[in-house]
Amino acid sequence: MSSEREQQRREGPAPRARGREARRAWAGIRPFRRAGGLRLVPPTGERGPALPGKRLPPGTAVRTRGAPCWLSLASGDASAAGEFYARVLGWCHVPLLGPRGKPRFLALRAGAPVGTLSQATCELGVSAGWIPYFGVDDVDATVGRLRVRGATVAVGPLTTETGRLAVAAGPREAVFGLRQQAPDHRWRAGEGPVARFELHTPDIFAAACSYGDVLGWAGTSGDTCQVEYTHGQIAVREGLRTVAALRDATTSGWRPCFRVADADVAAAAASGWGGRVISPPEGPRCRREAVLADREGNPFTVVAS
């Protein structure tokens, strides 16, 4: 009994889950915590000391394992997508070299990189939508772990001008990518145009365990992302910044969240330029959010900041 009490003291109290399903979900991840996996901290539990923010000098690759490192949009019509996001979010686009007939653009907002817009390849389908990329030490080894789990690897591993990469479909077919280095050292989730990534999934705890195992979240070496359960969602943090959030939803998929000057203006522009409003703007003026979709139905979130 004393050893059980000691184990409970180290783990902290379980969250005040509402309903049988939430309690069952939390109970299901406790063995994973004891095995040294994700450090899921309930809202009422004590938090460990925050890691210092990692601000690296220009030209230095970000080495936080498992952290978002890039974003791309695989679109059925990259030129039309570029026009839509320029009108709605105020981006400008720089043409990039690519195969004839398949335009690629680097999206910028106020000079800061957002990601790439490109024509979808046949492997990804007509429109794969927004694809978040996560930094790993070894793309090939990570792809091997994905295949052991039964995940679908749609692209790669292959070598590009910015290093090794791969694109896979994770739990419940949520598409994401892997990179061994960021294409642009200026890009950082949680700073600049990209506020965070959001994974919408019916089981946030199972998804956290799966992605945590593959991407190396919650390691003890100090160079990995940390994971925390708080306010009904799972937050993925790089230092002091929340770079991703896992949220309960009936459908599954990764969604980017972009910073805008005014969420209401962005929502009106999306409707006016062929997109639609999935969830109208809500919240206080300084943090007002809305969920929108582009002309091809790819969802994204905007937050005023």
Side-chain angles (χ1 to χ4, degrees), residues 64-102:
T64 304
R65 288 181 290 158
C69 66
W70 194 243
L71 176 65
S72 70
L73 175 66
S75 171
D77 188 335
S79 297
E83 180 188 21
F84 174 85
Y85 286 100
R87 298 290 187 178
V88 175
L89 302 182
W91 298 350
C92 63
H93 301 89
V94 179
L96 300 174
L97 294 177
R100 183 184 298 272
K102 292 186 177 181

Tab-separated table of all heavy atoms in Angstrom, residues 64-102:
chain	number	residue	atom	x	y	z
A	64	THR	N	14.968	21.464	-31.250
A	64	THR	CA	13.997	20.888	-30.324
A	64	THR	C	13.295	19.733	-31.014
A	64	THR	O	12.537	19.937	-31.966
A	64	THR	CB	12.967	21.943	-29.878
A	64	THR	OG1	13.651	23.042	-29.315
A	64	THR	CG2	12.015	21.353	-28.848
A	65	ARG	N	13.556	18.530	-30.558
A	65	ARG	CA	12.995	17.348	-31.218
A	65	ARG	C	11.477	17.304	-31.064
A	65	ARG	O	10.944	17.547	-30.002
A	65	ARG	CB	13.612	16.079	-30.637
A	65	ARG	CG	15.066	15.870	-31.060
A	65	ARG	CD	15.606	14.593	-30.470
A	65	ARG	NE	15.777	14.714	-29.021
A	65	ARG	CZ	15.827	13.680	-28.170
A	65	ARG	NH1	15.657	12.464	-28.627
A	65	ARG	NH2	16.026	13.893	-26.902
A	66	GLY	N	10.809	16.981	-32.159
A	66	GLY	CA	9.362	16.844	-32.136
A	66	GLY	C	8.613	18.150	-32.270
A	66	GLY	O	7.381	18.154	-32.275
A	67	ALA	N	9.321	19.280	-32.389
A	67	ALA	CA	8.656	20.575	-32.503
A	67	ALA	C	8.261	20.835	-33.954
A	67	ALA	O	8.941	20.390	-34.879
A	67	ALA	CB	9.565	21.691	-32.010
A	68	PRO	N	7.168	21.567	-34.177
A	68	PRO	CA	6.843	21.976	-35.543
A	68	PRO	C	7.992	22.776	-36.140
A	68	PRO	O	8.600	23.610	-35.459
A	68	PRO	CB	5.598	22.846	-35.367
A	68	PRO	CG	5.003	22.415	-34.068
A	68	PRO	CD	6.166	22.049	-33.200
A	69	CYS	N	8.301	22.540	-37.414
A	69	CYS	CA	9.416	23.248	-38.045
A	69	CYS	C	9.054	23.830	-39.402
A	69	CYS	O	9.851	24.572	-39.969
A	69	CYS	CB	10.631	22.334	-38.166
A	69	CYS	SG	10.397	20.930	-39.285
A	70	TRP	N	7.863	23.521	-39.930
A	70	TRP	CA	7.479	24.084	-41.221
A	70	TRP	C	6.010	23.795	-41.481
A	70	TRP	O	5.379	22.990	-40.766
A	70	TRP	CB	8.332	23.526	-42.344
A	70	TRP	CG	8.236	24.291	-43.645
A	70	TRP	CD1	7.778	23.837	-44.836
A	70	TRP	CD2	8.633	25.649	-43.875
A	70	TRP	NE1	7.849	24.820	-45.798
A	70	TRP	CE2	8.379	25.953	-45.230
A	70	TRP	CE3	9.173	26.646	-43.056
A	70	TRP	CZ2	8.639	27.206	-45.787
A	70	TRP	CZ3	9.435	27.887	-43.604
A	70	TRP	CH2	9.169	28.159	-44.952
A	71	LEU	N	5.468	24.441	-42.519
A	71	LEU	CA	4.071	24.283	-42.896
A	71	LEU	C	3.963	24.374	-44.406
A	71	LEU	O	4.628	25.208	-45.035
A	71	LEU	CB	3.226	25.378	-42.242
A	71	LEU	CG	1.730	25.430	-42.587
A	71	LEU	CD1	1.015	24.176	-42.086
A	71	LEU	CD2	1.101	26.680	-41.973
A	72	SER	N	3.135	23.515	-45.000
A	72	SER	CA	2.921	23.599	-46.445
A	72	SER	C	1.460	23.321	-46.760
A	72	SER	O	0.750	22.684	-45.987
A	72	SER	CB	3.817	22.600	-47.196
A	72	SER	OG	3.381	21.275	-46.968
A	73	LEU	N	1.026	23.833	-47.901
A	73	LEU	CA	-0.322	23.587	-48.400
A	73	LEU	C	-0.212	22.883	-49.735
A	73	LEU	O	0.353	23.420	-50.691
A	73	LEU	CB	-1.096	24.897	-48.566
A	73	LEU	CG	-2.489	24.766	-49.211
A	73	LEU	CD1	-3.430	23.979	-48.315
A	73	LEU	CD2	-3.079	26.137	-49.527
A	74	ALA	N	-0.741	21.671	-49.808
A	74	ALA	CA	-0.820	20.932	-51.066
A	74	ALA	C	-2.203	21.185	-51.647
A	74	ALA	O	-3.205	20.672	-51.142
A	74	ALA	CB	-0.587	19.439	-50.829
A	75	SER	N	-2.266	21.992	-52.683
A	75	SER	CA	-3.531	22.476	-53.212
A	75	SER	C	-3.789	21.962	-54.617
A	75	SER	O	-2.848	21.676	-55.369
A	75	SER	CB	-3.523	24.014	-53.209
A	75	SER	OG	-4.635	24.535	-53.882
A	76	GLY	N	-5.051	21.861	-54.977
A	76	GLY	CA	-5.398	21.494	-56.340
A	76	GLY	C	-5.077	22.594	-57.326
A	76	GLY	O	-4.871	22.347	-58.516
A	77	ASP	N	-5.011	23.836	-56.868
A	77	ASP	CA	-4.664	24.989	-57.698
A	77	ASP	C	-3.868	25.953	-56.832
A	77	ASP	O	-4.431	26.786	-56.113
A	77	ASP	CB	-5.943	25.652	-58.236
A	77	ASP	CG	-5.641	26.735	-59.273
A	77	ASP	OD1	-4.531	27.294	-59.245
A	77	ASP	OD2	-6.526	27.044	-60.094
A	78	ALA	N	-2.544	25.842	-56.889
A	78	ALA	CA	-1.688	26.628	-56.007
A	78	ALA	C	-1.803	28.122	-56.294
A	78	ALA	O	-1.753	28.942	-55.372
A	78	ALA	CB	-0.234	26.175	-56.141
A	79	SER	N	-1.972	28.490	-57.551
A	79	SER	CA	-2.078	29.913	-57.888
A	79	SER	C	-3.353	30.514	-57.312
A	79	SER	O	-3.341	31.620	-56.749
A	79	SER	CB	-2.042	30.097	-59.411
A	79	SER	OG	-0.808	29.656	-59.942
A	80	ALA	N	-4.473	29.799	-57.425
A	80	ALA	CA	-5.738	30.276	-56.870
A	80	ALA	C	-5.667	30.333	-55.348
A	80	ALA	O	-6.200	31.259	-54.719
A	80	ALA	CB	-6.886	29.382	-57.318
A	81	ALA	N	-5.006	29.352	-54.751
A	81	ALA	CA	-4.845	29.352	-53.293
A	81	ALA	C	-4.021	30.553	-52.847
A	81	ALA	O	-4.325	31.195	-51.836
A	81	ALA	CB	-4.195	28.060	-52.827
A	82	GLY	N	-2.976	30.860	-53.611
A	82	GLY	CA	-2.166	32.016	-53.274
A	82	GLY	C	-2.955	33.303	-53.310
A	82	GLY	O	-2.812	34.168	-52.431
A	83	GLU	N	-3.830	33.441	-54.311
A	83	GLU	CA	-4.669	34.627	-54.399
A	83	GLU	C	-5.627	34.708	-53.212
A	83	GLU	O	-5.816	35.783	-52.620
A	83	GLU	CB	-5.471	34.622	-55.696
A	83	GLU	CG	-6.382	35.838	-55.849
A	83	GLU	CD	-7.313	35.728	-57.043
A	83	GLU	OE1	-7.557	34.598	-57.513
A	83	GLU	OE2	-7.812	36.783	-57.481
A	84	PHE	N	-6.226	33.570	-52.840
A	84	PHE	CA	-7.174	33.561	-51.723
A	84	PHE	C	-6.504	34.016	-50.435
A	84	PHE	O	-7.011	34.907	-49.737
A	84	PHE	CB	-7.757	32.158	-51.553
A	84	PHE	CG	-8.631	32.009	-50.334
A	84	PHE	CD1	-9.977	32.351	-50.382
A	84	PHE	CD2	-8.114	31.534	-49.135
A	84	PHE	CE1	-10.788	32.232	-49.255
A	84	PHE	CE2	-8.916	31.406	-48.005
A	84	PHE	CZ	-10.258	31.761	-48.078
A	85	TYR	N	-5.360	33.434	-50.099
A	85	TYR	CA	-4.704	33.772	-48.838
A	85	TYR	C	-4.106	35.181	-48.865
A	85	TYR	O	-3.992	35.826	-47.816
A	85	TYR	CB	-3.658	32.720	-48.497
A	85	TYR	CG	-4.290	31.428	-48.029
A	85	TYR	CD1	-4.428	30.344	-48.894
A	85	TYR	CD2	-4.800	31.305	-46.741
A	85	TYR	CE1	-5.030	29.169	-48.478
A	85	TYR	CE2	-5.409	30.136	-46.325
A	85	TYR	CZ	-5.530	29.067	-47.192
A	85	TYR	OH	-6.148	27.909	-46.779
A	86	ALA	N	-3.753	35.662	-50.041
A	86	ALA	CA	-3.301	37.050	-50.130
A	86	ALA	C	-4.445	38.006	-49.816
A	86	ALA	O	-4.266	38.997	-49.099
A	86	ALA	CB	-2.751	37.321	-51.529
A	87	ARG	N	-5.637	37.711	-50.346
A	87	ARG	CA	-6.791	38.577	-50.122
A	87	ARG	C	-7.304	38.489	-48.683
A	87	ARG	O	-7.705	39.498	-48.091
A	87	ARG	CB	-7.917	38.173	-51.082
A	87	ARG	CG	-7.592	38.306	-52.542
A	87	ARG	CD	-7.486	39.743	-52.990
A	87	ARG	NE	-7.328	39.855	-54.434
A	87	ARG	CZ	-7.250	41.013	-55.081
A	87	ARG	NH1	-7.299	42.154	-54.420
A	87	ARG	NH2	-7.104	41.028	-56.398
A	88	VAL	N	-7.287	37.280	-48.114
A	88	VAL	CA	-7.902	37.064	-46.804
A	88	VAL	C	-6.934	37.360	-45.659
A	88	VAL	O	-7.312	37.991	-44.658
A	88	VAL	CB	-8.432	35.625	-46.688
A	88	VAL	CG1	-8.972	35.341	-45.289
A	88	VAL	CG2	-9.523	35.382	-47.738
A	89	LEU	N	-5.681	36.932	-45.786
A	89	LEU	CA	-4.726	37.052	-44.687
A	89	LEU	C	-3.610	38.047	-44.961
A	89	LEU	O	-2.746	38.249	-44.103
A	89	LEU	CB	-4.132	35.674	-44.360
A	89	LEU	CG	-5.144	34.588	-43.967
A	89	LEU	CD1	-4.413	33.289	-43.620
A	89	LEU	CD2	-6.013	35.032	-42.801
A	90	GLY	N	-3.602	38.644	-46.132
A	90	GLY	CA	-2.612	39.666	-46.421
A	90	GLY	C	-1.221	39.144	-46.712
A	90	GLY	O	-0.235	39.876	-46.551
A	91	TRP	N	-1.117	37.888	-47.168
A	91	TRP	CA	0.191	37.333	-47.467
A	91	TRP	C	0.666	37.801	-48.841
A	91	TRP	O	-0.129	38.105	-49.736
A	91	TRP	CB	0.155	35.814	-47.469
A	91	TRP	CG	-0.221	35.191	-46.156
A	91	TRP	CD1	-0.336	35.819	-44.952
A	91	TRP	CD2	-0.543	33.822	-45.935
A	91	TRP	NE1	-0.695	34.917	-43.984
A	91	TRP	CE2	-0.834	33.694	-44.553
A	91	TRP	CE3	-0.620	32.708	-46.748
A	91	TRP	CZ2	-1.192	32.466	-43.982
A	91	TRP	CZ3	-0.969	31.487	-46.193
A	91	TRP	CH2	-1.248	31.367	-44.814
A	92	CYS	N	1.962	37.807	-49.017
A	92	CYS	CA	2.538	37.930	-50.348
A	92	CYS	C	3.237	36.613	-50.675
A	92	CYS	O	3.531	35.818	-49.770
A	92	CYS	CB	3.513	39.105	-50.436
A	92	CYS	SG	4.963	38.951	-49.380
A	93	HIS	N	3.474	36.369	-51.951
A	93	HIS	CA	3.981	35.068	-52.364
A	93	HIS	C	5.164	35.225	-53.313
A	93	HIS	O	5.097	35.999	-54.275
A	93	HIS	CB	2.867	34.251	-53.033
A	93	HIS	CG	1.692	34.024	-52.147
A	93	HIS	ND1	0.637	34.908	-52.097
A	93	HIS	CD2	1.422	33.044	-51.257
A	93	HIS	CE1	-0.249	34.472	-51.219
A	93	HIS	NE2	0.202	33.350	-50.698
A	94	VAL	N	6.222	34.500	-53.028
A	94	VAL	CA	7.430	34.514	-53.846
A	94	VAL	C	7.495	33.211	-54.620
A	94	VAL	O	7.478	32.125	-54.018
A	94	VAL	CB	8.687	34.668	-52.965
A	94	VAL	CG1	9.944	34.648	-53.834
A	94	VAL	CG2	8.611	35.941	-52.136
A	95	PRO	N	7.550	33.248	-55.960
A	95	PRO	CA	7.622	32.000	-56.740
A	95	PRO	C	8.889	31.212	-56.424
A	95	PRO	O	9.969	31.781	-56.235
A	95	PRO	CB	7.616	32.481	-58.200
A	95	PRO	CG	7.040	33.864	-58.140
A	95	PRO	CD	7.468	34.437	-56.820
A	96	LEU	N	8.749	29.898	-56.376
A	96	LEU	CA	9.874	29.001	-56.144
A	96	LEU	C	10.061	28.099	-57.358
A	96	LEU	O	9.123	27.862	-58.125
A	96	LEU	CB	9.628	28.135	-54.895
A	96	LEU	CG	9.431	28.879	-53.581
A	96	LEU	CD1	9.056	27.882	-52.474
A	96	LEU	CD2	10.688	29.636	-53.182
A	97	LEU	N	11.269	27.595	-57.513
A	97	LEU	CA	11.531	26.669	-58.600
A	97	LEU	C	10.789	25.361	-58.368
A	97	LEU	O	10.667	24.896	-57.246
A	97	LEU	CB	13.030	26.405	-58.722
A	97	LEU	CG	13.900	27.610	-59.139
A	97	LEU	CD1	15.374	27.202	-59.138
A	97	LEU	CD2	13.489	28.124	-60.504
A	98	GLY	N	10.307	24.775	-59.445
A	98	GLY	CA	9.588	23.506	-59.337
A	98	GLY	C	9.326	22.944	-60.713
A	98	GLY	O	9.681	23.554	-61.743
A	99	PRO	N	8.699	21.756	-60.780
A	99	PRO	CA	8.389	21.146	-62.075
A	99	PRO	C	7.496	22.051	-62.917
A	99	PRO	O	6.673	22.803	-62.386
A	99	PRO	CB	7.668	19.848	-61.690
A	99	PRO	CG	8.060	19.591	-60.268
A	99	PRO	CD	8.253	20.928	-59.649
A	100	ARG	N	7.649	21.967	-64.224
A	100	ARG	CA	6.835	22.764	-65.137
A	100	ARG	C	5.351	22.424	-64.938
A	100	ARG	O	4.972	21.256	-64.872
A	100	ARG	CB	7.236	22.489	-66.583
A	100	ARG	CG	6.479	23.344	-67.621
A	100	ARG	CD	6.887	22.918	-69.022
A	100	ARG	NE	8.302	23.145	-69.255
A	100	ARG	CZ	8.811	24.289	-69.717
A	100	ARG	NH1	7.992	25.302	-69.986
A	100	ARG	NH2	10.106	24.409	-69.907
A	101	GLY	N	4.544	23.437	-64.855
A	101	GLY	CA	3.106	23.230	-64.700
A	101	GLY	C	2.663	22.995	-63.275
A	101	GLY	O	1.473	22.808	-63.023
A	102	LYS	N	3.594	22.984	-62.314
A	102	LYS	CA	3.251	22.786	-60.906
A	102	LYS	C	3.854	23.930	-60.083
A	102	LYS	O	4.937	23.800	-59.510
A	102	LYS	CB	3.750	21.435	-60.394
A	102	LYS	CG	3.025	20.253	-61.013
A	102	LYS	CD	3.439	18.944	-60.372
A	102	LYS	CE	2.651	17.775	-60.948
A	102	LYS	NZ	3.021	16.487	-60.317
